[in-house]
Amino acid sequence: MLEKLFKLSANKTDAKTEVLAGITTFMTMAYILAVNPNILSATGMDSGAVFTATALAAFLGTLLMAIFANYPFALAPGMGLNAYFAYTVVIGMGYSWQYALTAVFAEGIVFIVLSLTNVREAIFNAIPLNLKSAVSVGIGLFIAFVGLQNANIVIGGSTLLQLFSVDGYNAAKGVEASFNNVGITVILALIGIIVTGILVVKNVKGNILWGILITWGLGIICQFAGLYVPNPEIGFYSLLPDFSNGLSIPSLAPIFAKLQFDGVFSLDFLVILFAFLFVDLFDTLGTLVGVSSKAGMLDENGKLPNIKGALLADAVATTAGAVLGTSTTTTFVESASGVSEGGRTGLTAVTTAILFGLSLFLSPIFLAIPSFATAPALVIVGLYMLSNVISIDFSDMSEAIPCYVCIIAMPFFYSISEGISMGIITYVAINLITGKAKEKKISALMYVLAVLFILKYIFL
């Protein structure tokens, strides 16, 4: 039956190899079950419900990848997109998380249409290659910055930002914290970054997940030793999982189908929608091509057969994920870990999906993981995204300057969409004024986007 469903022989693999590859992929991706609730709960969303939505979205999306494309790729709520959702749209722009979920839902619908047509190629080709890389780099810096803040390694101060100190933290937060709550967690986070870095260098499977678990474990030891003393009044809770309700699955009710359609016909909504769509579209295409290239799955023309099915799985998962109550669901680059173990078919994806489904029963463990333990994951994921900087052509200043603006705008303005907006405006303006627009063959879509973004800054 497995042979018939997944064409194992034709793909030069077997069931044992596929299952082991699926387990490996899950191990490298499971950190999202702790990180995503941590990030989205900053918007006021119920962290337990977000955990359930994250696991279900990963289960559904990865299963759809197996059904629609028979590829060994796994999906889950994406890093970068969840940060944009929480820190830019909700906290930065002041919209409700329900409004942000509606933008994700709309993005999924648009992406479904684009996946069923050839329009996605037109959009993909419209954005300059260097600028695509710059978006990834900027998001990497932004994610790392969020991680450093979540761990309180970087705090507000007299110099706008400064390295942590207990006095500086208390002044910035207006609380009375001490070394035995905030102080020790900062040290643990720094240790966690080093430990995770070592695991990455050693190429340990599931290095990011192990980094989270080791950092959390050290915190638990500190709690038992009295070095860490919980203080719920200022946001420092016990690090021990709460099994008082058994292994029950947290209810989805607080966030399920909480879409808000008021204001969807505004320019702001279009900007938010475009940012989600832009990042998801290029991130997904880049991941699919990059991972499949490593697996030798591209055809003689360098194209991925049945990429339409893979993109459709991504699009449907995003739409369903928004209804469930989570940010954009996308194909994970960590799928490369399973591919490197020999995964070549949808059986790898099915295995990963089943493990995400089973993880629903381990919610007390994942929900007890504190932000200082997930911070190292954000910093290291930021590194992976930052590595795309080598793809940018810095020898051509008409390319380099817009990319530079795009990259620095994201962490400095605390907004992914501002980086995209300013990158596109700068690219069009510099090349148009210097007479390089024809040489660069800038598309009409780029001009339209630049004008729309300029109007946004003038009138909004």
Side-chain angles (χ1 to χ4, degrees):
M1 183 182 70
L2 293 177
E3 173 64 36
K4 183 178 179 181
L5 286 173
F6 301 108
K7 300 178 176 61
L8 301 178
S9 298
N11 287 283
K12 299 178 182 179
T13 185
D14 56 60
K16 181 181 178 181
T17 300
E18 294 291 300
V19 170
L20 289 175
I23 294 172
T24 301
T25 297
F26 175 78
M27 283 292 292
T28 59
M29 284 179 60
Y31 71 87
I32 196 65
L33 294 169
V35 175
N36 202 49
N38 209 302
I39 289 178
L40 297 192
S41 63
T43 68
M45 299 176 75
D46 182 89
S47 60
V50 173
F51 167 82
T52 301
T54 302
L56 287 176
F59 168 78
L60 178 62
T62 307
L63 200 59
L64 288 174
M65 180 64 73
I67 295 171
F68 290 169
N70 192 30
Y71 283 148
F73 309 135
L75 289 79
M79 293 297 299
L81 288 158
N82 53 8
Y84 173 72
F85 180 104
Y87 300 106
T88 297
V89 179
V90 179
I91 296 174
M93 300 174 73
Y95 290 107
S96 66
W97 56 262
Q98 293 92 336
Y99 189 79
L101 280 178
T102 307
V104 174
F105 178 79
E107 176 223 342
I109 298 297
V110 173
F111 205 4
I112 288 174
V113 174
L114 296 181
S115 299
L116 292 172
T117 66
N118 293 323
V119 176
R120 62 180 176 77
E121 279 90 351
I123 295 178
F124 184 77
N125 293 331
I127 309 297
L129 184 61
N130 285 302
L131 208 51
K132 293 172 189 171
S133 298
V135 170
S136 176
V137 174
I139 291 175
L141 289 176
F142 182 81
I143 289 175
F145 188 34
V146 168
L148 294 173
Q149 289 179 90
N150 286 352
N152 295 306
I153 296 170
V154 172
I155 59 175
S158 58
T159 58
L160 186 63
L161 294 173
Q162 66 182 40
L163 187 63
F164 170 82
S165 71
V166 172
D167 291 339
Y169 178 85
N170 289 338
K173 302 285 187 178
V175 298
E176 285 299 322
S178 68
F179 173 81
N180 291 111
N181 37 61
V182 63
I184 187 65
T185 62
V186 170
I187 293 174
L188 288 168
L190 290 170
I191 292 173
I193 293 172
I194 295 172
V195 168
T196 307
I198 292 170
L199 294 174
V200 170
V201 171
K202 290 289 187 180
N203 201 28
V204 175
K205 291 183 176 63
N207 43 51
I208 291 179
L209 177 62
W210 282 118
I212 291 173
L213 295 178
I214 290 170
T215 307
W216 179 35
L218 291 173
I220 291 174
I221 292 172
C222 288
Q223 182 170 328
F224 281 128
L227 288 173
Y228 173 76
V229 180
N231 186 345
E233 291 184 4
I234 59 174
F236 292 88
Y237 302 94
S238 172
L239 305 179
L240 301 175
D242 181 9
F243 289 103
S244 59
N245 294 321
L247 295 177
S248 59
I249 300 173
S251 172
L252 266 181
I255 60 175
F256 181 74
K258 302 292 185 181
L259 304 179
Q260 177 187 328
F261 290 97
D262 293 339
V264 297
F265 296 108
S266 65
L267 183 56
D268 251 10
F269 185 83
L270 289 177
V271 172
I272 295 168
L273 171 62
F274 176 76
F276 277 129
L277 186 64
F278 179 95
V279 177
D280 189 19
L281 180 66
F282 300 128
D283 187 57
T284 299
L285 285 169
T287 298
L288 288 174
V289 173
V291 176
S292 56
S293 176
K294 181 176 182 179
M297 298 167 68
L298 299 180
D299 62 20
E300 61 275 8
N301 296 316
K303 296 182 179 180
L304 179 63
N306 202 22
I307 191 173
K308 187 173 289 188
L311 289 169
L312 185 60
D314 196 293
V316 174
T318 290
T319 307
V323 176
L324 289 170
T326 186
S327 52
T328 304
T329 303
T330 188
T331 308
F332 262 55
V333 72
E334 284 82 355
S335 301
S337 63
V339 166
S340 66
E341 290 296 308
R344 293 295 182 271
T345 75
L347 182 55
T348 293
V350 169
T351 303
T352 304
I354 290 172
L355 291 173
F356 270 115
L358 293 175
S359 69
L360 283 167
F361 298 97
L362 300 176
S363 60
I365 295 175
F366 285 104
L367 291 174
I369 298 175
S371 57
F372 73 79
T374 58
L378 296 178
V379 173
I380 297 300
V381 170
L383 165 67
Y384 286 143
M385 301 187 78
L386 183 70
S387 64
N388 272 342
V389 73
I390 63 175
S391 301
I392 299 174
D393 180 12
F394 286 104
S395 64
D396 182 349
M397 286 296 113
S398 65
E399 294 282 330
I401 293 173
C403 290
Y404 175 66
V405 169
C406 175
I407 291 168
I408 64 172
M410 291 188 189
F412 289 167
F413 300 152
Y414 214 69
S415 170
I416 293 170
S417 64
E418 297 293 4
I420 294 172
S421 301
M422 293 190 175
I424 289 176
I425 291 172
T426 307
Y427 190 92
V428 171
I430 285 180
N431 283 284
L432 189 62
I433 294 171
T434 58
K436 291 192 173 186
K438 287 186 178 180
E439 175 190 333
K440 295 292 180 66
K441 297 180 181 178
I442 298 177
S443 68
L445 179 58
M446 281 288 286
Y447 288 111
V448 171
L449 292 174
V451 170
L452 287 176
F453 289 142
I454 291 171
L455 292 175
K456 168 183 173 288
Y457 289 121
I458 294 174
F459 295 107
L460 297 178

